[in-house]
Amino acid sequence: MSRVELIAPCHFGLESVLKKEILDLGYEIVQVEDGRITFAGDESAIARANIFIRTAERIMLKCGSFKAATFDELFEGTKAIAWEKYLTRDAKFWVSKATSNKSALFSPSDIQSIVKKAMVERLKQTYRVSWFTEDGASYPVRVFIFKDIVTIALDTSGVSLHKRGYRKLVGKAPISETLASALIMLMPWHRDRVLVDPFCGSGTFPIEAAMIGAHIAPGMDREFTAQEWSKICDKKIWYNAVDEAHDLIDHDVKMNIQGYDLDGDMVKCAMENARAAGVEQHIHFQQRDVKDLRNPKKYGFIITNPPYGERLEEKEALPELYRTIGESYRNLDDWSMFLITSYTDAEKYIGRKADRNRKIYNGMIKSYFYQFMGPKPPKRRREEA
């Protein structure tokens, strides 16, 4: 299995960030769709994509694609895929998720059942058995149908890639690690510039920024389903990818990343999560109100996910909260502010129209990524030799 096609879903609206990550890893973009990118590489791409990509939700191995407007066509198309190329005789396999959009086939449970039956029939013929123990490695299957085109893939990640392994404790409305990374990567922030999150909660923004700055691969300390797939990628591929990740860590980098929260318990939680991620030395956490946000450095960055008012009593407090955010921001000389929220009156109370505004779906919540740009710092003069 020298060349493989992989499918990486991401947050809707952030495809460009994921595309850049894939290209930076050296892989070929096959197709870009809303919330999903298909790319090609060799076998090692399965391991390297899982370990290095920060903004994808999971990595799936594409097994086949065909047109099906009836359940008979779905069955025959699935059966025609060479499943014996991927699954061992003792494989434990099931259709973990099926989605359909603008297609004749629309019942997820029926789609799941038909695909499983077709896979069993194919493997019965190959392995010449009538019953499978399914006590071996796990092979979760995912099915996508769009305009009657069926795509079937194996989920190589297992647990979603936003589960880095460091976040043991979370706040009331945490932002996912993959979304936090994508938003940081949309900013012109560089690790030599100060970065502050005044509503840091469990610390996701500061921790992801520190990991990016120190070149710490997000998946290097967790496990993936495909590590047990003996027919698809050798364990040596995974060992090599982890070794590569360790070699790339910048242990000597100096960063000024800060996280504040009014809740002292959340500050302790963020500190514990930073320790688990191995970046505690790069982040200063402190219990502090946003109205007390001060910093002597110029040309810094704010990135934050402030409260957006889930409950009625919280909504009533939002105008004053966002007014305070705006006042604190104006007190910071030449800074830029990046803010994700579903609160539609954010600009009104901040007191300034954002220079850019990107619509992003945070789960099922339609949010806005407001970008308030400060001036660029002057270019440093080259030292004369």
Side-chain angles (χ1 to χ4, degrees):
M1 194 179 292
S2 54
R3 186 182 189 272
V4 297
E5 282 197 7
L6 301 172
I7 300 169
C10 65
H11 282 84
F12 181 84
L14 294 171
E15 298 83 2
S16 62
V17 185
L18 174 57
K19 180 182 176 181
K20 185 178 185 304
E21 282 202 279
I22 293 167
L23 291 173
D24 286 347
L25 281 175
Y27 300 124
E28 171 197 346
I29 302 295
V30 175
Q31 187 178 19
V32 178
E33 303 167 89
D34 288 343
R36 189 168 73 174
I37 293 180
T38 303
F39 62 102
D42 58 12
E43 292 172 339
S44 68
I46 297 172
R48 293 183 73 240
N50 273 296
I51 289 170
F52 286 102
I53 290 179
R54 301 179 189 277
T55 62
E57 294 304 303
R58 61 186 65 249
I59 303 297
M60 295 173 288
L61 174 62
K62 183 177 176 180
C63 300
S65 186
F66 53 89
K67 186 172 183 178
T70 67
F71 284 121
D72 283 343
E73 290 174 337
L74 177 63
F75 182 91
E76 294 302 328
T78 303
K79 188 180 173 185
I81 295 171
W83 291 107
E84 65 276 6
K85 201 166 71 170
Y86 307 103
L87 275 62
T88 54
R89 182 171 175 165
D90 63 350
K92 178 183 179 183
F93 58 100
W94 71 102
V95 182
S96 59
K97 188 173 183 179
T99 59
S100 177
N101 188 17
K102 299 178 181 178
S103 301
L105 302 178
F106 56 84
S107 167
S109 59
D110 289 334
I111 293 166
Q112 288 171 297
S113 176
I114 295 294
V115 169
K116 168 78 178 190
K117 286 177 184 176
M119 291 176 69
V120 168
E121 285 305 309
R122 171 78 187 209
L123 292 171
K124 273 183 181 179
Q125 294 174 6
T126 303
Y127 290 118
R128 302 189 183 283
V129 294
S130 58
W131 182 76
F132 294 94
T133 59
E134 295 200 45
D135 55 0
S138 295
Y139 295 79
V141 180
R142 293 202 166 214
V143 182
F144 312 93
I145 308 180
F146 181 67
K147 293 184 177 179
D148 296 330
I149 300 299
V150 180
T151 301
I152 305 183
L154 291 171
D155 178 7
T156 73
S157 304
V159 175
S160 174
L161 293 182
H162 82 271
K163 298 278 190 180
R164 316 288 206 219
Y166 68 75
R167 199 163 73 173
K168 311 298 181 186
L169 304 164
V170 297
K172 184 169 59 175
I175 192 166
S176 79
E177 294 88 332
T178 46
L179 178 55
S181 266
L183 297 180
I184 292 166
M185 292 161 77
L186 277 175
M187 299 165 54
W189 173 75
H190 189 265
R191 61 187 186 173
D192 63 355
R193 307 268 289 278
V194 60
L195 180 73
V196 176
D197 181 357
F199 298 93
C200 72
S202 54
T204 309
F205 271 131
I207 292 169
E208 290 293 321
M211 291 177 71
I212 290 169
H215 301 156
I216 298 173
M220 61 187 293
D221 290 325
R222 55 159 284 178
E223 295 181 344
F224 305 95
T225 305
Q227 285 175 277
E228 302 303 319
W229 295 357
S230 58
K231 282 195 169 189
I232 297 173
C233 48
D234 191 272
K235 282 189 179 291
K236 186 179 179 182
I237 288 172
W238 294 92
Y239 297 143
N240 289 342
V242 171
D243 287 344
E244 179 187 357
H246 278 286
D247 290 342
L248 288 173
I249 296 175
D250 187 344
H251 296 282
D252 300 320
V253 64
K254 304 295 182 188
M255 290 182 281
N256 187 349
I257 299 173
Q258 302 171 24
Y260 305 136
D261 204 280
L262 191 58
D263 186 335
D265 289 335
M266 288 313 306
V267 172
K268 292 176 184 176
C269 164
M271 292 171 71
E272 183 58 39
N273 289 339
R275 274 192 291 273
V279 294
E280 73 274 16
Q281 72 274 27
H282 300 304
I283 309 170
H284 172 69
F285 288 108
Q286 185 179 7
Q287 184 176 1
R288 184 188 288 192
D289 196 310
V290 67
K291 68 181 175 60
D292 299 319
L293 179 57
R294 301 285 185 275
N295 198 292
K297 296 278 188 182
K298 290 171 68 94
Y299 307 111
F301 287 84
I302 294 171
I303 184 165
T304 195
N305 176 32
Y308 48 83
E310 285 184 281
R311 294 190 291 270
L312 183 61
E313 60 269 25
E314 291 175 337
K315 275 189 169 65
E316 293 171 354
L318 290 183
E320 183 59 32
L321 174 64
Y322 281 79
R323 194 176 289 116
T324 302
I325 292 172
E327 290 170 358
S328 293
Y329 174 50
R330 283 188 289 276
N331 289 330
L332 292 167
D333 192 19
D334 297 330
W335 279 47
S336 298
M337 179 167 70
F338 295 76
L339 182 149
I340 182 170
T341 180
S342 64
Y343 185 46
T344 53
D345 285 334
E347 291 171 300
K348 174 183 175 183
Y349 292 107
I350 286 172
R352 173 181 162 182
K353 185 171 178 59
D355 296 288
R356 295 176 194 158
N357 179 11
R358 182 185 287 246
K359 187 190 297 181
I360 300 214
Y361 280 86
N362 184 3
M364 297 303 293
I365 301 170
K366 184 169 72 173
S367 304
Y368 302 91
F369 189 46
Y370 295 104
Q371 303 168 59
F372 302 89
M373 305 301 295
K376 293 180 180 179
K379 289 184 178 179
R380 294 174 182 170
R381 292 179 182 174
R382 292 180 180 176
E383 294 181 4
E384 294 183 6

